[in-house]
Amino acid sequence: MPAPLAPLVDRWRVDLLPKPGDRLVVAPGARAFLAAGLATRATGPMLVVVPGEREAEELVDDLALFTDLAVLLPAWETLPFEHVSPNLTTMAARARARDLLDIGEPGTIVVGSVRAVTQRLSPSAVRPVIAMAGKEAGYDLLVERLAHFGYHRTDRVESRGEFSVRGGLIDVFPAQGGHPVRLEFWGDEVESARHFSIGSQRSTDPAEGLIAYPAREVRVAVKGREVARSLINREPWAAATWERLAEGHTFAGMESWLPWIAPEATVVSGLSADTPLVVCDPVRAADRSRDLLKEETELAAALAPTWGHGAPEAGDHPSLYLDLTEALAGRHPIEAPPLAAGPTD
């Protein structure tokens, strides 16, 4: 079903749309209309930043009235230093959103909260596994890539992020959601693709094929292993963890160690120069970024005594969240403060 208010977006005149660096007052209810208008005139994907997670979700819902190309960049549900992995659906959705920011078609809008866009990026690749009906996919290669992407191999697929292998059949439930897919191979070619029922395990409707984004956001590659190996001597307080990362092991909570093995980069700082960027309520967004940094430091202060001898003092640790203002340095985002902000310069 097409977006019901899409025809309204076509009425935007180019001369009325803001340009990079512009600042205009926009009522929260009009943000979706403005973003949709900007996106239809862009030559590639666009990123919209809002202060809070709920605002991001609501904006994506509003955008669905105007376009079919709006996606959410979610934030992790976990706290810094919490040795628990984020939900795999969240990690896959982040990979999808980042992938669309790189190669999405013109008109694509990625919406993220300050927390989502200022989180330090994992250097792991975000391109999905793709296997389409009637195309060569490589049977063994597909199994290998699914395992590398953090998919759990089982005898019977019942949940997102699982896959099973039976003869010439590979069942996969993509971590980003949607429906499970059954691929039937003839050699290395996908002879057919169908959805199937989790309850009965029977094939149902035909499918175009499989698109499966990584179920793990942090996958330690060669460079990351080298960094982890160097930390064994420099940061001996966590030597056991560095050794596991250096060996390329996957374990619960490994994402909490991302700040030590990944460079300082965020979704915002990693945007190409020609990617349009809109920051809604920039004052609140900057305040939210500072609050995240403060909360992380306070949490480090509470946990530092449990890290062991030689661990960094609170405030000396590498941060999971980076400063939004610094990430925006050198860019010229469109700023959209709310009506309550009053007149602008």
Side-chain angles (χ1 to χ4, degrees):
M1 179 180 176
L5 300 183
L8 292 178
V9 179
D10 296 332
R11 298 184 182 181
W12 271 108
R13 292 196 347 237
V14 175
D15 59 321
L16 293 178
L17 289 169
K19 300 176 178 61
D22 282 358
R23 180 181 175 89
L24 67 159
V25 178
V26 179
R31 288 175 179 172
F33 187 37
L34 172 67
L38 284 166
T40 59
R41 304 301 188 272
T43 58
M46 180 175 78
L47 175 64
V48 179
V49 181
V50 297
E53 285 80 48
R54 180 173 296 179
E55 290 168 275
E57 294 170 0
E58 291 175 349
L59 182 53
V60 171
D61 288 342
D62 290 345
L63 280 165
L65 296 171
F66 302 100
T67 176
D68 299 322
L69 298 176
V71 298
L72 175 69
L73 173 74
W76 285 357
E77 312 88 357
T78 54
L79 296 172
F81 318 116
E82 186 178 20
H83 295 170
V84 177
S85 293
N87 184 283
L88 62 85
T89 302
T90 298
M91 292 189 283
R94 284 180 58 82
R96 177 173 179 257
R98 288 176 55 193
D99 183 43
L100 291 175
L101 273 176
D102 287 337
I103 64 162
E105 62 182 282
T108 299
I109 305 172
V110 175
V111 181
S113 66
V114 170
R115 186 180 179 195
V117 303
T118 60
Q119 177 186 308
R120 187 185 297 250
L121 285 185
S122 167
S124 301
V126 295
R127 291 291 295 133
V129 168
I130 299 176
M132 308 307 288
K135 303 289 185 180
E136 290 265 340
Y139 182 92
D140 293 333
L141 178 61
L142 178 60
V143 172
E144 180 182 334
R145 292 193 67 199
L146 287 169
H148 174 66
F149 273 21
Y151 282 72
H152 178 56
R153 184 168 177 172
T154 65
D155 295 330
R156 174 187 171 105
V157 170
E158 297 180 327
S159 302
R160 291 185 178 92
E162 293 182 345
F163 77 102
S164 68
V165 179
R166 302 188 310 280
L169 299 178
I170 299 179
D171 290 351
V172 186
F173 201 151
Q176 75 272 13
H179 303 282
V181 177
R182 174 165 293 154
L183 303 175
E184 184 173 1
F185 278 79
W186 179 260
D188 282 333
E189 181 181 326
V190 180
E191 189 174 40
S192 69
R194 302 185 70 88
H195 297 300
F196 66 92
S197 167
I198 290 296
S200 67
Q201 293 289 301
R202 292 183 177 180
S203 300
T204 56
D205 303 326
E208 294 182 5
L210 170 72
I211 298 178
Y213 281 92
R216 283 251 176 215
E217 191 163 349
V218 178
R219 305 182 308 281
V220 186
V222 174
K223 189 172 182 180
R225 294 181 189 184
E226 292 174 354
V227 173
R229 197 167 287 112
S230 70
L231 287 168
I232 294 174
N233 294 323
R234 290 193 289 111
E235 303 280 356
W237 59 278
T241 298
W242 308 141
E243 288 174 359
R244 296 174 77 184
L245 292 171
E247 293 297 323
H249 294 165
T250 298
F251 53 93
M254 63 184 294
E255 292 78 12
S256 62
W257 301 96
L258 177 65
W260 277 271
I261 61 174
E264 291 192 0
T266 66
V267 170
V268 174
S269 61
L271 291 177
S272 63
D274 57 350
T275 299
L277 172 62
V278 178
V279 179
C280 297
D281 205 341
V283 174
R284 278 187 58 224
D287 288 344
R288 177 58 178 150
S289 178
R290 286 190 289 269
D291 286 344
L292 285 169
L293 294 171
K294 180 181 177 182
E295 291 167 6
E296 184 173 353
T297 300
E298 291 174 348
L299 187 58
L303 295 177
T306 70
W307 290 347
H309 178 71
E313 299 290 335
D316 292 338
H317 65 284
S319 297
L320 176 64
Y321 298 109
L322 305 176
D323 186 74
L324 177 64
T325 302
E326 293 181 4
L328 291 172
R331 298 196 62 90
H332 301 284
I334 296 171
E335 295 186 349
L339 287 172
T344 58
D345 295 338

